[in-house]
Amino acid sequence: MTRSDGMTEELSRPPFDPEVARALAQQQDIIVTTMSHDDIPRVRSLGADVAPTAPLTHGGFDRTDLTAPGRQDLPDVPVVVLTPGDRGAPAPVLVFLHGGGMIAGIPESDLDAMADLAHHTGCAVVSVAYRLAPEQPYPAAVDDVVTALEWLASGEAPASLDPQRIVLSGISAGGGLAAAVALRCRDARGPRLSGLLLMCPMLDHRSNSASARQMIGAGSWDATANATAWEAYLAGAAPTSHASAALADDLSELPPVFIDVGSTETFRDECVDFASRLWQHGGDAELHVWPGGAHAFDMLAPWTRMARTARDTREAWLRRLLTRLPAA
C-alpha cells in the first residue's frame, strides 16, 4: 500500500486460526507456499498419491468413467461420473473442477469431499479432466469444461443426470475456472447453469490486492505461486474475463453464486470484490470469509471446527438452491 508521502506501507497479516496454524506447521511437506516455473513438476508430484482408479472412501455412489465428445474440432473430454446408487429419478448434477493452479491436479483430486456434499444433498457429481498448463494453456481448460457442460445439457449424458439442474463448482483454480466458464456461457448463450459454487476461487490474474501482498511467503499459495500459475495458463495471451473472471465489467445474468474464502489467504480480497460486484449488478450471491482460514483450509485440515462449519454452510446453501429448482 502506498502512503501519501509515496512510501510503501508494510501490511500486517491477520492471524491464522489456531487449528489451521497447527495444520500448516504439521503439513509443510505437502503445502505449496511459493512456486516458480521450475517447481511445477514438484507441485504435480504432490498429488501423485491420488490414484485415478482408487475407490471413494465415501460409499453410496456408482462410478463411471465416460467421455464428453468434442465439437468443432475440440478434443473429447474425459469425465468421472458419480451417481447415487439408490436414486430412481434423475439427480441434480454438481459439475466439479479440481484445484491445482491450472497446472496440476486430476479429476479425483478432492473428489471425496464433493462426494460427501453430493451425498447429503441428493446430487450426482461429474468431475472434469480439463487440460493443464503450461502444455495446454488458455483457452484449453475453458473449452474442455464447456464441452462437458454441452454434453450434459444435450441429453446425451446418462439418464440418471438431470440436464436442467447443473451446479458448476470448483475449488481454487477450479473455482476461478468455473466463474470464467459461467461468464462465457452467459456471453455465448451456452449451457444454462442453475448455480455456481466457488470455494476459495482463483479469480484475478493480477495478484495485486492487499491480501495478496499481505500473505507473500506465508500460508499456502502466495502471490508468487499465483503469478507463476497465471503466467503458465495465459502463456502470453491477453487476459479477458473468460480467463480471469475478475476482469468482467458486467456480472449480471449469472446464476446464484456461493463464494467462500479464508481471511488469511491470497484470494480473500478478490473474492470479496467479486461478490460485491455481483450484488451491484443485481446478482444473487452468498459470501463467507472464514476468520483465520488459510487457502483451502478445509481440504488441508478437514477435522478442524471451522472446516466442519464451512462444509455445513455450503451444504445449506446448496439445499436452499435445489429447493428452488423444478425436479425432472
Side-chain angles (χ1 to χ4, degrees):
M1 181 179 296
T2 303
R3 304 184 317 199
S4 58
D5 60 5
M7 299 296 289
T8 299
E9 179 181 354
E10 184 175 347
L11 298 175
S12 299
R13 295 184 186 126
F16 288 110
D17 172 87
E19 289 185 309
V20 171
R22 285 197 295 273
L24 288 170
Q26 293 167 358
Q27 301 187 59
Q28 289 183 358
D29 56 331
I30 63 170
I31 291 170
V32 178
T33 302
T34 64
M35 181 181 73
S36 69
H37 185 86
D38 291 341
D39 292 325
I40 289 175
R42 177 183 66 83
V43 172
R44 287 177 172 173
S45 72
L46 294 175
D49 59 341
V50 181
T53 58
L56 289 168
T57 59
H58 195 294
F61 289 94
D62 296 324
R63 171 175 172 156
T64 312
D65 295 85
L66 299 174
T67 300
R71 294 176 174 84
Q72 299 178 346
D73 297 325
L74 292 175
D76 296 346
V77 177
V79 295
V80 175
V81 180
L82 306 179
T83 51
D86 58 353
R87 188 181 177 96
V93 185
L94 278 172
V95 175
F96 178 57
L97 310 180
H98 64 79
M102 305 302 296
I103 53 91
I106 58 175
E108 289 76 13
S109 302
D110 299 318
L111 189 54
D112 269 313
M114 293 309 296
D116 188 65
L117 176 61
H119 174 75
H120 287 103
T121 54
C123 293
V125 180
V126 173
S127 189
V128 181
Y130 60 85
R131 287 171 288 168
L132 300 176
E135 294 85 356
Q136 298 289 336
Y138 171 78
V142 174
D143 288 340
D144 290 347
V145 179
V146 171
T147 292
L149 291 174
E150 289 176 341
W151 170 71
L152 282 169
S154 70
E156 299 173 10
S160 57
L161 307 176
D162 185 350
Q164 302 302 316
R165 293 184 292 169
I166 297 174
V167 178
L168 184 56
S169 62
I171 181 169
S172 190
L177 178 58
V181 167
L183 288 165
R184 178 164 139 178
C185 287
R186 179 201 66 181
D187 296 343
R189 301 299 174 191
R192 181 181 175 276
L193 302 174
S194 297
L196 276 176
L197 175 58
L198 310 179
M199 297 167 280
C200 54
M202 178 179 162
L203 297 167
D204 195 337
H205 73 289
R206 292 165 290 193
S207 297
N208 62 359
S209 68
S211 59
R213 298 195 304 275
Q214 278 179 313
M215 300 310 299
I216 288 176
S220 57
W221 200 257
D222 76 354
T224 66
N226 203 44
T228 298
W230 276 109
E231 181 181 1
Y233 179 52
L234 294 174
T240 70
S241 62
H242 294 175
S244 180
L247 295 180
D249 293 325
D250 179 7
L251 293 179
S252 64
E253 299 183 56
L254 290 175
V257 182
F258 178 97
I259 302 173
D260 69 351
V261 67
S263 69
T264 49
E265 68 162 294
T266 300
F267 298 153
R268 181 195 67 215
D269 291 349
E270 61 197 66
C271 289
V272 172
D273 177 72
F274 197 76
S276 179
R277 292 193 296 118
L278 282 164
W279 294 318
Q280 290 168 19
H281 288 94
D284 178 346
E286 180 171 328
L287 169 69
H288 294 269
V289 180
W290 299 107
H295 182 60
F297 67 90
D298 55 312
M299 303 298 174
L300 175 69
W303 57 86
T304 61
R305 285 167 290 185
M306 191 163 61
R308 293 195 297 269
T309 302
R311 291 194 297 271
D312 290 345
T313 303
R314 292 184 201 122
E315 179 184 327
W317 175 84
L318 184 55
R319 284 184 182 277
R320 289 194 301 272
L321 175 69
L322 294 174
T323 61
R324 292 150 49 185
L325 303 176

